[in-house]
Amino acid sequence: MRKKAISRILALVVPVLLSLNSPVFATAGQNEAPVAATAPAAPASIEASAAAPAEAEAAHAEGGEEKPGDLIMHHILDNHTFAFEPFGEVHLPRIEVAGYDISITKHVVMIWLAAILLVVIASAAGASVRKMSANQAPKGVANVFESLVDFISNDVAKPNIGHGYEKYLPYLLTVFFFILVCNLLGLIPYGATATGNVNVTLTLATFTFIVTQVSAFKAHGIKGYLQHLTAGTHGALWIIMVPIEILGQFTKPFALTIRLFANMTAGHIIILSLFFISFILKSYIVAVAVSIPFAIFIYLLELFVAFLQAFVFTMLSALFIGLATAHEGGHDGHELEASGHH
């Protein structure tokens, strides 16, 4: 059992260490470049052959020395290169149409991969359910999907939206599973977290904003929607309440954007920072006693955060839709209905 546990830990840690090892020693090489410049002059033939690489290295060093912070930002930010250290790199194509940059980046690739995985897994789960008889229970992936769908339907959408929640389930389920898969793909070595890109989270929040506003117009009409902006206050307070309500319509998607982006980015920064502590201090003791144990703990915590953030985004989206579509007295009506049953 101990051997299996150690092998699993090594399988988790070694790819990350390999991906960090090459940049760190490259940085060390840059730090030693000025020292080499003070060595005695070489023969003319050797000096001439080494002049071009030395000038290029010096120019790179003058342009900016790569520090741990720079390497961490390079890992979490979007770019056009997939680094598979020490095996090599994959450079993604740059595309520009009519002055607009629509290049394929690593976050775009991860979004495509998440979509493909969702389609394949959901199709397999659906096919498994269709083959079952009425007396059989789903197994494997189909069982997991059914549990998550029931959870989102009965514990998220129905309590927050109320009557008519069924028509919003396709959007809420899509958002939940997409964010969950993107979060989990970011925890795989050499992967990237698409939900750690503010453009991705802003797009998801914009979809929630559009669904919320369209639902509010359909539920209340234009007159009811405008009355909703006054919050039922006296006309003398409209000059205060209307701007606050309008601002509140935009602060909700802004909160969704920042919450998901910040939480998914922070975990990766902490894990990489813990690994770099051992490289900065150049101590195997620090690596074994501090960096690796704490990094594994944060990694396991990130698995929980991946599910948590998908749930929070979906729950808040359902809550905003429910608040936008709720009619006056609707809450009291539900209470009277519940008391009538008693």
Side-chain angles (χ1 to χ4, degrees), residues 217 220-229:
F217 272 107
H220 304 291
I222 297 178
K223 183 178 179 181
Y225 182 85
L226 295 177
Q227 289 177 347
H228 181 72
L229 295 178

Side-chain angles (χ1 to χ4, degrees), residues 88-160:
E89 296 180 344
V90 175
H91 297 280
L92 301 172
R94 296 177 179 268
I95 305 173
E96 187 172 336
V97 177
Y100 292 97
D101 186 9
I102 58 172
S103 301
I104 299 175
T105 63
K106 65 179 183 180
H107 286 167
V108 173
V109 173
M110 299 308 293
I111 290 174
W112 291 349
L113 182 59
I116 293 172
L117 286 175
L118 274 178
V119 171
V120 172
I121 296 174
S123 299
S128 176
V129 171
R130 284 192 294 269
K131 293 178 182 178
M132 293 189 313
S133 63
N135 298 327
Q136 289 180 319
K139 298 179 181 179
V141 177
N143 189 22
V144 174
F145 256 78
E146 183 184 32
S147 301
L148 292 175
V149 169
D150 286 341
F151 172 71
I152 296 298
S153 175
N154 299 324
D155 296 330
V156 176
K158 188 176 181 179
N160 290 291

Side-chain angles (χ1 to χ4, degrees), residues 161-233:
I161 299 177
H163 178 70
Y165 73 94
E166 296 87 356
K167 60 185 177 182
Y168 300 104
L169 273 179
Y171 171 70
L172 295 176
L173 290 172
T174 302
V175 167
F176 174 79
F177 283 109
F178 176 76
I179 294 176
L180 176 61
V181 173
C182 285
N183 293 348
L184 294 177
L185 286 177
L187 297 176
I188 298 175
Y190 304 122
T193 309
T195 46
N197 189 326
V198 72
N199 297 302
V200 176
T201 58
L202 177 60
T203 302
L204 293 172
T206 301
F207 282 127
T208 296
F209 175 78
I210 293 173
V211 171
T212 301
Q213 299 305 314
V214 172
S215 301
F217 272 107
K218 287 185 176 181
H220 304 291
I222 297 178
K223 183 178 179 181
Y225 182 85
L226 295 177
Q227 289 177 347
H228 181 72
L229 295 178
T230 63
T233 58

Side-chain angles (χ1 to χ4, degrees), residues 139-334:
K139 298 179 181 179
V141 177
N143 189 22
V144 174
F145 256 78
E146 183 184 32
S147 301
L148 292 175
V149 169
D150 286 341
F151 172 71
I152 296 298
S153 175
N154 299 324
D155 296 330
V156 176
K158 188 176 181 179
N160 290 291
I161 299 177
H163 178 70
Y165 73 94
E166 296 87 356
K167 60 185 177 182
Y168 300 104
L169 273 179
Y171 171 70
L172 295 176
L173 290 172
T174 302
V175 167
F176 174 79
F177 283 109
F178 176 76
I179 294 176
L180 176 61
V181 173
C182 285
N183 293 348
L184 294 177
L185 286 177
L187 297 176
I188 298 175
Y190 304 122
T193 309
T195 46
N197 189 326
V198 72
N199 297 302
V200 176
T201 58
L202 177 60
T203 302
L204 293 172
T206 301
F207 282 127
T208 296
F209 175 78
I210 293 173
V211 171
T212 301
Q213 299 305 314
V214 172
S215 301
F217 272 107
K218 287 185 176 181
H220 304 291
I222 297 178
K223 183 178 179 181
Y225 182 85
L226 295 177
Q227 289 177 347
H228 181 72
L229 295 178
T230 63
T233 58
H234 190 271
L237 297 176
W238 289 2
I239 191 173
I240 300 175
M241 294 305 301
V242 172
I244 292 176
E245 288 293 327
I246 293 176
L247 183 62
Q249 301 298 318
F250 293 94
T251 55
K252 293 173 182 176
F254 177 78
L256 288 176
T257 300
I258 300 303
R259 179 181 286 106
L260 180 58
F261 161 72
N263 280 282
M264 298 316 302
T265 303
H268 291 270
I269 293 177
I270 294 173
I271 292 174
L272 292 173
S273 299
L274 288 170
F275 276 118
F276 273 115
I277 289 175
S278 58
F279 287 111
I280 294 172
L281 299 179
K282 299 179 181 179
S283 171
Y284 288 104
I285 297 177
V286 173
V288 174
V290 178
S291 296
I292 294 178
F294 279 91
I296 293 175
F297 171 75
I298 298 297
Y299 184 90
L300 297 176
L301 184 63
E302 281 294 292
L303 290 174
F304 169 73
V305 172
F307 283 88
L308 178 64
Q309 291 306 315
F311 161 72
V312 169
F313 192 99
T314 307
M315 187 270 293
L316 290 178
S317 297
L319 178 62
F320 296 156
I321 293 172
L323 292 174
T325 57
H327 294 274
E328 292 184 6
H331 181 68
D332 296 335
H334 287 303

